[in-house]
Amino acid sequence: MDLTEQQRAVVESKSQRIVVLSCAGSGKTTVIALRIAKLWENGVAPDRILSLTFSNKASQEMKRRICKEDKALGFKTNVRTFHAFGLDLIRKSGSAMGFYDQIRIARRSQIQNILHEIAVKRGNALLEGDHVISYIKKCKNFELMPHEKELDAVFSEYCAALKSRCLIDMEDMIWLTVNYLKEHQEVRDQISKQYRYIFVDEYQDTNEAQNKLLGLLINETTNVCLVGDDDQAIYEWRGAKPRYIRQFARSERYELLKMERNFRSQAGIIDIANTLISHNQERIPKAICAERNFTFKPVYARFSNQTAEAEFVAGRISELVAEGKYSPSDIAVLYRVNEQAALLQSMLNGFGIEYDTLELDENAQYSQFVDVLQSIASLTSTTDLSNALNFPERCLDRFLFNDAKAAYCDAYGQDCNYSTLEWLDKLYLSDVQFENCAEFRERYGLITQLHQVSTTWSPSQIIATYLAFMERKRYNVRFPDKYHFVLQTYDIAKSYEEAYQERSLTEFLYQLDLSITAQDTSRSVNLEAVNLLTMHRSKGLEFKVVFIVGVQCGIIPNEYFIQSENDLEADRRLLYVAITRAKDLLFMTSFKDPFGSNGSSQFVKHGFLAEIPKVSFADVDFVDQMLRKLPDKSLVEENGAQFEKATIDCLAETIADTTREVKAELVEIQDEKEFTSLVHDEVPSIGDAKECCEDNAAELPSEALEARGLKDLTEDQVDSYMELSIALSHEIAIPENKYVVIVGATDIKTKVVKSLLKTNSIPNYELYDYEGKGFNLNKYFNNFRCVGIILGPEAHKIDGVDARSLKGKLLSTPGYPYMVDLIERHITKTSLQEAIAKIKWSFVRNVN
């Protein structure tokens, strides 16, 4: 790829220690991956490299970027979050740390139970509140030394109780690791010798504990690369210390490199971002330079109340979507606190606009399904197995279990002195009747049989089988929320398998538990929904259109939290991060005087908007005229370069003229004779398809499962796992949770493509242009949710596609997705219809 001068300097720097200040949208992840690849070229073994990140999502993205440079070497390069690195060391050294059994991550309910037991023992109900948990966290994060006698005693008892149960909490992953490394010089030396090159991403977000850990991993010979941006430090409230990256940036021992070119946002957005952040005094001077040309000035609008503000936002979104300017998923509404969301949601509902909060899912929902996976992995914990059997609804609680045991003893009249696990086996294998016995045996049989293949199947295969079971039982209809979390866990498993080679269920469960505990799980993006999320949650994301609401004193800056000048600068950085999420259009709104202050803080003298010249914003009415003249989003998708050029001067007349030119070009294309060619495989009629399915319905599931290793299952057991998800009326319908992918240049408009897919009952789809930006074939192959991929002209130029086109051997492999290669043809109405027919016919012949 073409690098800027600043990016090339980072990749090629030969300094032993460097600090990279990477502004928003400057491509830091790609540059880190390229620097690591450069080390490989220079003979550095990949297992000598350690890359530390702060979130599981960032870790997997970094791993993917590194593997893109060289898959074999990328898999050998250790990319971990700080917590995952600590967890790995604790698991390896557990016995030396005093753990006698397999270590598990404590859930919040377990932590609360331990503190409750301590409070009861001490006769003080005040020793189990959130303030106690906060005290423990601060002590373990080295932010606080134990100083209160009674709380100190609770801290000691709490740590002992965790260890006795072989549990660790989130803070332990670093706290225990730091203490262990301090006491064992030989282990420190071994790690320092192993990892001669250490990269740390988002270094401005490190807390005291993470900095202590990093200090123990580095010695005088370690090659260090610290990457971050002090202007994007927004987590001081939870212990992050941006002062560390500033100290290293100013240190003579480190080479300071800056990446100041933004590839994300148009220049109008970058202008106000620079103006705002320049008011911070405690920062390393830098200024983002926009790679994209100026198009529109950001819009600011003030309203008399919050309802009017929400109505404006919902109305504009409705217009942009209804007029075909942007898709719902292109748009995000950002707010400071979650309380702002309710009115926005209500107003969007009123306009008939679907939205997705993109906020953290309820971790308890994940935890319930984790118990199912834990049972499949080990079958040794009665607690896990009990929870698994009662997911997604009660099946065998304590009372029903006792009734079942009594019925068994009455039936067989023998000594019934069994353990709980033995009882479950006895009840499963017997023909004793009790309440919910059929449901119990079905669930228990599924769990035990999946346990038999848990060491050979990938996590996603196991979860896919459980999803098929839920669909057959119609749990997806009866318990849609719980089905959603299982589906989301499947997506997490696919991402995990794509990034890491160790694909065992046990290893995946550690990563999943870690993500849940770190609150690093979120909903999948709904392609038909507007995104609602907090400014903090928007970090690392980008959207074509961004609305930032409540930009005023009392919300942002939030005077309640501002007790110092540093607090004020932290809120300014948060707004800066929110602004730089926008790519094309930015709207900022408030619902009362945005420049005033209620006087509750001596540091807040005015709102942040007072720091940005009014001339930086466009008049709302004028922008309305321009937005109405924007070309349809399908034209933008197909002619992005023309659209970018059309909006350079931000003149409505120029946009209108260029739009007419683009439309004229498309009309000429449509008037040309469409490409047609022979269909290589005869597409059967719907009647033939139905007859074939009826003839083979009984044997297809058995064949499919036999190929997966369950050769000893009876026909009835096979039916309990899989079924043919076929809806045959006058056509074959693809289920709602599946989709088709189209990549490559098309000879028809995007809206025509979407219309054809909809007409043919394809509920979901993903479209990639001829450049294939973001397309990764590994994401879709063997993904049971992807039923087909259509490759169009120019697709062969995309990385990884050529070797896996119809000319390769991969397409002869049974399973999803079914690929139709139109590389040497064209995607026209005719060829697309033929491709869809092939995919649907393939879907009929395969087990869903």
Side-chain angles (χ1 to χ4, degrees):
M1 63 174 287
D2 294 332
L3 300 178
T4 67
E5 185 177 339
Q6 290 180 332
Q7 289 175 328
R8 189 175 297 106
V10 174
V11 173
E12 298 179 353
S13 173
K14 292 181 170 55
S15 298
Q16 182 186 350
R17 300 190 175 189
I18 64 174
V19 172
V20 181
L21 294 181
S22 176
C23 293
S26 60
K28 65 179 176 61
T29 305
T30 298
V31 170
I32 293 174
L34 290 172
R35 181 169 172 82
I36 289 174
K38 191 74 172 180
L39 292 176
W40 299 337
E41 290 179 13
N42 294 333
V44 176
D47 60 1
R48 294 288 195 226
I49 301 170
L50 172 65
S51 179
L52 296 172
T53 66
F54 287 85
S55 71
N56 193 48
K57 178 183 176 182
S59 174
Q60 292 183 0
E61 179 60 26
M62 180 67 73
K63 191 76 169 181
R64 280 191 287 268
R65 298 286 183 93
I66 293 173
C67 288
K68 186 177 180 181
E69 301 305 317
D70 188 308
K71 194 164 189 176
L73 296 178
F75 275 133
K76 294 179 182 178
T77 301
N78 196 0
V79 181
R80 287 286 187 269
T81 64
F82 274 95
H83 288 91
F85 179 84
L87 177 60
D88 288 345
L89 181 62
I90 293 170
R91 289 173 61 196
K92 292 175 184 175
S93 309
S95 58
M97 293 183 182
F99 293 96
Y100 65 89
D101 201 352
Q102 180 182 356
I103 295 168
R104 298 278 293 273
I105 300 173
R107 296 173 185 172
R108 184 171 178 82
S109 60
Q110 293 172 308
I111 292 172
Q112 290 172 333
N113 288 338
I114 291 173
L115 290 176
H116 177 70
E117 292 172 7
I118 295 172
V120 171
K121 175 183 174 183
R122 290 183 161 271
N124 187 347
L126 297 177
L127 297 179
E128 55 176 315
D130 288 342
H131 70 289
V132 179
I133 295 177
S134 176
Y135 181 85
I136 292 171
K137 286 184 176 181
K138 287 181 178 179
C139 290
K140 289 188 176 183
N141 283 332
F142 300 99
E143 297 175 27
L144 190 68
M145 291 299 293
H147 62 285
E148 296 185 28
K149 186 176 180 180
E150 192 165 29
L151 287 179
D152 189 14
V154 172
F155 177 81
S156 299
E157 290 182 33
Y158 167 77
C159 292
L162 281 179
K163 186 167 289 188
S164 69
R165 293 166 169 82
C166 283
L167 296 173
I168 61 173
D169 61 25
M170 193 68 182
E171 289 69 38
D172 279 336
M173 296 177 201
I174 299 179
W175 183 65
L176 290 175
T177 302
V178 167
N179 291 334
Y180 183 72
L181 292 178
K182 280 182 178 178
E183 297 168 2
H184 295 81
Q185 177 69 45
E186 71 283 2
V187 180
R188 292 206 308 273
D189 292 342
Q190 182 181 359
I191 293 175
S192 297
K193 184 178 179 180
Q194 170 70 37
Y195 298 116
R196 306 312 300 263
Y197 297 84
I198 295 181
F199 293 76
V200 184
D201 191 16
E202 302 286 4
Y203 189 66
Q204 78 278 354
D205 292 332
T206 51
N207 62 21
E208 195 66 40
Q210 290 158 343
N211 274 289
K212 286 183 179 294
L213 174 58
L214 185 62
L216 292 167
L217 302 179
I218 293 172
N219 61 24
E220 289 299 318
T221 63
T222 309
N223 191 295
V224 182
C225 177
L226 307 177
V227 184
D229 180 9
D230 60 324
D231 287 336
Q232 297 186 74
I234 60 173
Y235 296 118
E236 283 184 283
W237 54 277
R238 67 183 190 192
K241 308 292 184 186
R243 70 172 184 269
Y244 285 114
I245 194 170
R246 295 182 188 127
Q247 289 173 358
F248 287 123
R250 292 165 178 151
S251 170
E252 294 182 356
R253 298 188 62 197
Y254 283 76
E255 179 187 11
L256 174 60
L257 299 170
K258 297 180 182 180
M259 289 168 51
E260 299 168 296
R261 301 200 69 80
N262 177 285
F263 296 88
R264 175 190 302 151
S265 309
Q266 54 100 345
I269 295 168
I270 295 304
D271 286 346
I272 69 164
N274 274 328
T275 302
L276 175 71
I277 202 63
S278 65
H279 286 83
N280 273 8
Q281 300 301 310
E282 188 56 42
R283 64 188 291 260
I284 304 295
K286 69 190 85 68
I288 314 181
C289 211
E291 279 288 311
R292 292 181 57 193
N293 293 311
F294 178 90
T295 54
F296 298 110
K297 287 182 179 181
V299 180
Y300 168 67
R302 178 163 60 114
F303 301 92
S304 58
N305 54 58
Q306 193 172 6
T307 300
E309 178 190 47
E311 185 175 10
F312 169 82
V313 171
R316 292 309 159 95
I317 291 174
S318 179
E319 291 172 9
L320 289 172
V321 173
E323 294 176 9
K325 310 305 183 185
Y326 289 96
S327 299
S329 59
D330 293 332
I331 304 170
V333 184
L334 309 184
Y335 37 83
R336 177 67 168 84
V337 291
N338 282 313
E339 287 74 15
Q340 294 173 266
L343 188 54
L344 289 165
Q345 292 171 355
S346 175
M347 200 62 70
L348 289 170
N349 282 330
F351 276 83
I353 300 170
E354 187 175 353
Y355 60 84
D356 192 333
T357 62
L358 272 185
E359 287 302 308
L360 297 175
D361 280 325
E362 290 297 330
N363 291 333
Q365 299 274 16
Y366 279 113
S367 298
Q368 289 178 27
F369 184 61
V370 168
D371 287 333
V372 176
L373 296 179
Q374 290 283 10
S375 296
I376 292 171
S378 65
L379 273 182
T380 57
S381 169
T382 55
T383 301
D384 289 344
L385 194 51
S386 174
N387 292 337
L389 290 171
N390 288 292
F391 179 85
E393 67 176 339
R394 182 180 68 89
C395 170
L396 193 71
D397 60 19
R398 180 164 54 92
F399 302 104
L400 292 178
F401 186 37
N402 289 333
D403 290 345
K405 290 191 291 185
Y408 182 92
C409 292
D410 290 343
Y412 291 98
Q414 55 183 274
D415 184 14
C416 299
N417 186 24
Y418 303 122
S419 69
T420 301
L421 292 175
E422 289 173 328
W423 263 119
L424 291 173
D425 283 336
K426 293 289 184 182
L427 294 173
Y428 171 66
L429 296 171
S430 74
D431 57 1
V432 172
Q433 299 298 302
F434 51 89
E435 187 176 345
N436 296 335
C437 60
E439 188 76 9
F440 156 72
R441 291 188 175 109
E442 195 167 17
R443 294 186 195 179
Y444 189 73
L446 173 63
I447 290 170
T448 54
Q449 287 161 349
L450 284 178
H451 171 70
Q452 296 172 11
V453 296
S454 61
T455 57
T456 55
W457 283 20
S458 70
S460 64
Q461 286 176 306
I462 292 170
I463 299 170
T465 304
Y466 199 90
L467 278 166
F469 165 74
M470 293 188 76
E471 291 170 5
R472 186 184 68 79
K473 299 286 291 184
R474 292 188 63 78
Y475 290 150
N476 56 320
V477 177
R478 295 170 55 202
F479 308 101
D481 288 343
K482 292 183 178 181
Y483 176 79
H484 161 82
F485 285 97
V486 180
L487 199 61
Q488 182 71 11
T489 306
Y490 173 83
D491 288 339
I492 294 172
K494 290 298 292 185
S495 296
Y496 167 76
E497 291 164 13
E498 186 180 325
Y500 298 102
Q501 280 186 312
E502 57 270 24
R503 298 183 177 184
S504 73
L505 180 59
T506 301
E507 289 300 320
F508 170 68
L509 280 168
Y510 271 110
Q511 293 297 320
L512 181 61
D513 250 342
L514 184 56
S515 293
I516 293 170
T517 308
Q519 296 188 326
D520 191 19
T521 52
S522 60
R523 296 182 187 274
S524 295
V525 175
N526 183 340
L527 296 179
E528 298 302 321
V530 172
N531 306 285
L532 300 185
L533 62 164
T534 63
M535 296 181 190
H536 282 100
R537 191 67 175 162
S538 72
K539 179 84 180 295
L541 303 177
E542 59 181 40
F543 305 94
K544 292 181 179 179
V545 182
V546 169
F547 292 81
I548 306 176
V549 298
V551 186
Q552 60 201 64
C553 289
I555 299 179
I556 186 164
N558 193 323
E559 295 168 296
Y560 179 81
F561 297 108
I562 296 174
Q563 307 299 321
S564 68
E565 189 67 37
N566 285 337
D567 295 334
L568 181 62
E569 293 200 357
D571 253 26
R572 190 179 283 114
R573 290 195 296 270
L574 180 58
L575 181 57
Y576 170 81
V577 166
I579 289 170
T580 53
R581 300 310 94 196
K583 299 171 67 176
D584 299 345
L585 304 178
L586 172 65
F587 295 82
M588 299 171 70
T589 63
S590 65
F591 55 88
K592 60 182 179 181
D593 181 8
F595 304 109
S597 172
N598 61 21
S600 64
S601 168
Q602 61 176 314
F603 300 98
V604 179
K605 305 303 180 185
H606 51 67
F608 291 142
L609 285 171
E611 300 172 351
I612 304 172
K614 291 184 179 179
V615 71
S616 301
F617 294 104
D619 174 77
V620 175
D621 293 334
F622 177 68
V623 171
D624 278 347
Q625 297 173 20
M626 301 189 61
L627 293 182
R628 281 194 291 270
K629 294 185 180 296
L630 277 173
D632 184 277
K633 68 179 186 306
S634 63
L635 303 185
V636 177
E637 291 166 0
E638 297 174 19
N639 298 274
Q642 289 94 321
F643 173 70
E644 185 77 13
K645 184 177 184 301
T647 56
I648 287 178
D649 297 321
C650 198
L651 297 174
E653 294 78 11
T654 306
I655 294 175
D657 291 341
T658 308
T659 303
R660 285 192 290 271
E661 293 174 9
V662 172
K663 288 181 177 178
E665 292 174 8
L666 291 175
V667 169
E668 290 176 7
I669 293 175
Q670 285 298 102
D671 288 341
E672 292 176 7
K673 184 177 180 180
E674 291 190 333
F675 290 87
T676 57
S677 59
L678 294 175
V679 181
H680 299 298
D681 299 319
E682 183 178 352
V683 180
S685 67
I686 296 301
D688 292 339
K690 185 173 182 179
E691 183 179 351
C692 177
C693 285
E694 290 171 348
D695 290 342
N696 296 285
E699 62 186 58
L700 278 175
S702 179
E703 292 174 352
L705 282 176
E706 184 172 319
R708 294 173 181 260
L710 291 178
K711 299 179 181 179
D712 58 340
L713 295 183
T714 66
E715 184 173 341
D716 289 339
Q717 288 172 324
V718 167
D719 288 340
S720 74
Y721 281 86
M722 298 287 190
E723 64 177 358
L724 292 175
S725 296
I726 303 171
L728 288 171
S729 53
H730 65 285
E731 64 178 358
I732 304 166
I734 302 298
E736 286 291 329
N737 68 326
K738 307 196 183 299
Y739 58 88
V740 168
V741 178
I742 300 178
V743 56
T746 66
D747 287 357
I748 52 179
K749 294 181 180 180
T750 303
K751 62 183 179 183
V752 175
V753 172
K754 293 180 178 179
S755 176
L756 274 173
L757 292 170
K758 185 175 181 180
T759 302
N760 281 275
S761 300
I762 306 292
N764 298 299
Y765 44 83
E766 293 184 12
L767 304 178
Y768 294 89
D769 62 16
Y770 71 97
E771 295 178 343
K773 185 177 181 182
F775 178 77
N776 185 344
L777 189 59
N778 289 329
K779 174 183 175 182
Y780 303 108
F781 194 75
N782 282 334
N783 183 336
F784 88 108
R785 295 179 67 188
C786 179
V787 298
I789 298 179
I790 300 172
L791 302 176
E794 303 296 318
H796 65 285
K797 297 180 181 178
I798 299 170
D799 289 345
V801 170
D802 187 52
R804 298 189 178 203
S805 68
L806 280 175
K807 302 162 190 173
K809 297 179 180 179
L810 200 56
L811 288 180
S812 62
T813 305
Y816 295 119
Y818 184 83
M819 290 196 187
V820 180
D821 196 335
L822 301 176
I823 285 177
E824 295 179 355
R825 299 172 63 190
H826 279 257
I827 298 182
T828 63
K829 288 182 181 179
T830 302
S831 65
L832 181 59
Q833 185 66 58
E834 293 169 355
I836 292 172
K838 286 186 179 183
I839 288 171
K840 293 175 75 172
W841 173 232
S842 171
F843 179 79
V844 170
R845 291 179 299 169
N846 284 278
V847 174
N848 184 10

